[in-house]
Amino acid sequence: MHMPAIYPDLKERSVFVTGGGSGIGAALTEAFVKQGANVAFVDIAETESRALADRMEIEHGRRPLFVPCDIRDVAALQAAVAEAGRIFGDISVLLNNAANDQRHTVESVTPDYWDDRMAINQRPMFFTAQAVLPMMQRLGQGSIVNFGSISWKLGNGGMPAYTTAKAAVHGLTRGLARDFGIHGIRVNTILPGWVMTERQKALWLTAEAEKEMLAGQCLKIHIQPTAIADMALFLASDASVACTAQEFTVDAGWS
Ligand SMILES: NC(=O)c1ccc[n+]([C@@H]2O[C@H](COP(=O)([O-])OP(=O)(O)OC[C@H]3O[C@@H](n4cnc5c(N)ncnc54)[C@H](O)[C@@H]3O)[C@@H](O)[C@H]2O)c1
């Protein structure tokens, strides 16, 4: 049974998660709810997100705030951040988790498709950070976690726009860490390995791909979303008070 650490400083913290309704994001929402934090999340998957909020209330007695939002709409995303701040107080933890790893061939990519991939996988991270900055400045502290991927480190093909966006996360994290650090705000990147979400299992987990994964990983395990949430809890809490501008890889030793 998974027994996460308890970080007392996360209790009653105001936390904002992008894509918090399913996959790793749902594990993030649940992990922070279980710490006693006030979690707000945006997602486009409305049915799953409402079901998650209901389940959190029943199982943990704490209902996260779900704001339906397509993160490609920067104004709507920043409005969601503002709404979360009004309801739960200034946001002190921002988890830039939402992404879409849709496969695409080189030949099929148009300028519009390329821009759309960046609008999902890269651009929102900057504009959520911009929106929480005044809140974190008022608090005198904050933690921002941007979600990268080991896919580009492994040299994976079949999704060049996604791997480009995910590599760019490192530059964003390090640049913002410098600008935000003077306000006591930390910015880090988590690089998940291959995490066994329902979506990954349904779309990509063939016997052959599983064999390749287990051969590549030092640890012969199937990484669960909770393993990523555990790292996010650490990076959000004061336990990582001196960690910023860094990449934290949770991939069972694959990359
Ligand atoms: N699962 C993995 O194996 C894996 C591996 C490496 C990196 N990652 C990274 O971890 C993070 C989470 O991955 P995941 O597998 O849970 O992803 P996912 O695709 O399963 O879920 C992402 C969430 O974001 C939401 N979302 C997608 N597009 C959106 C949009 N336009 N507006 C609002 N919400 C939107 C989805 O509905 C979903 O709830 C991503 O940044 C991903 O790149 C995941």
Side-chain angles (χ1 to χ4, degrees):
M1 190 187 166
H2 177 247
M3 297 281 283
I6 301 294
Y7 297 95
D9 64 286
L10 292 179
K11 198 168 168 51
E12 302 303 336
R13 285 264 181 101
S14 178
V15 177
F16 190 88
V17 188
T18 66
S22 73
I24 293 171
L28 296 172
T29 297
E30 180 158 21
F32 281 83
V33 163
K34 283 165 78 173
Q35 298 285 328
N38 294 316
V39 181
F41 69 93
V42 286
D43 209 297
I44 39 169
E46 296 205 20
T47 307
E48 280 168 287
S49 297
R50 290 190 204 291
L52 177 69
D54 290 345
R55 186 168 69 77
M56 293 301 94
E57 191 170 9
I58 294 163
E59 290 183 11
H60 307 299
R62 189 172 275 269
R63 189 176 183 83
L65 172 70
F66 165 53
V67 184
C69 173
D70 186 326
I71 60 171
R72 284 173 287 194
D73 183 342
V74 171
L77 180 57
Q78 292 195 321
V81 170
E83 184 183 348
R86 269 195 307 276
I87 292 173
F88 287 148
D90 285 337
I91 291 161
S92 69
V93 177
L94 168 63
L95 305 172
N96 275 319
N97 160 77
N100 186 299
D101 65 354
Q102 191 180 76
R103 303 314 195 249
H104 44 276
T105 61
V106 169
E107 294 77 10
S108 70
V109 174
T110 61
D112 283 347
Y113 183 78
W114 183 269
D115 288 349
D116 186 60
R117 294 299 92 189
M118 297 304 148
I120 295 175
N121 293 319
Q122 194 229 324
R123 188 173 70 180
M125 293 189 184
F126 173 80
F127 286 101
T128 49
Q130 183 189 61
V132 299
L133 178 59
M135 301 189 197
M136 292 183 176
Q137 281 178 306
R138 279 194 291 273
L139 295 170
Q141 58 95 27
S143 174
I144 298 174
V145 180
N146 298 321
F147 282 71
S149 170
I150 63 163
S151 53
W152 63 272
K153 294 186 111 183
L154 296 178
N156 287 351
M159 45 181 176
Y162 175 80
T163 46
T164 299
K166 287 290 162 183
V169 173
H170 293 230
L172 179 69
T173 288
R174 287 177 177 241
L176 290 185
R178 182 64 63 188
D179 290 335
F180 286 28
I182 51 172
H183 306 294
I185 302 163
R186 300 181 293 106
V187 190
N188 290 291
T189 301
I190 291 179
L191 285 83
W194 196 5
V195 182
M196 296 295 117
T197 62
E198 293 308 316
R199 182 171 185 273
Q200 293 296 318
K201 286 192 278 189
L203 288 179
W204 317 118
L205 189 66
T206 60
E208 194 187 339
E210 185 180 27
K211 203 171 148 203
E212 191 188 332
M213 173 190 84
L214 293 173
Q217 291 180 182
C218 299
L219 303 173
K220 310 305 177 187
I221 60 171
H222 292 78
I223 303 174
Q224 300 304 315
T226 48
I228 309 302
D230 285 342
M231 180 61 84
L233 290 172
F234 169 71
L235 290 174
S237 92
D238 296 343
S240 57
V241 70
C243 300
T244 195
Q246 300 303 317
E247 293 90 37
F248 294 82
T249 302
V250 186
D251 72 345
W254 192 357
S255 64

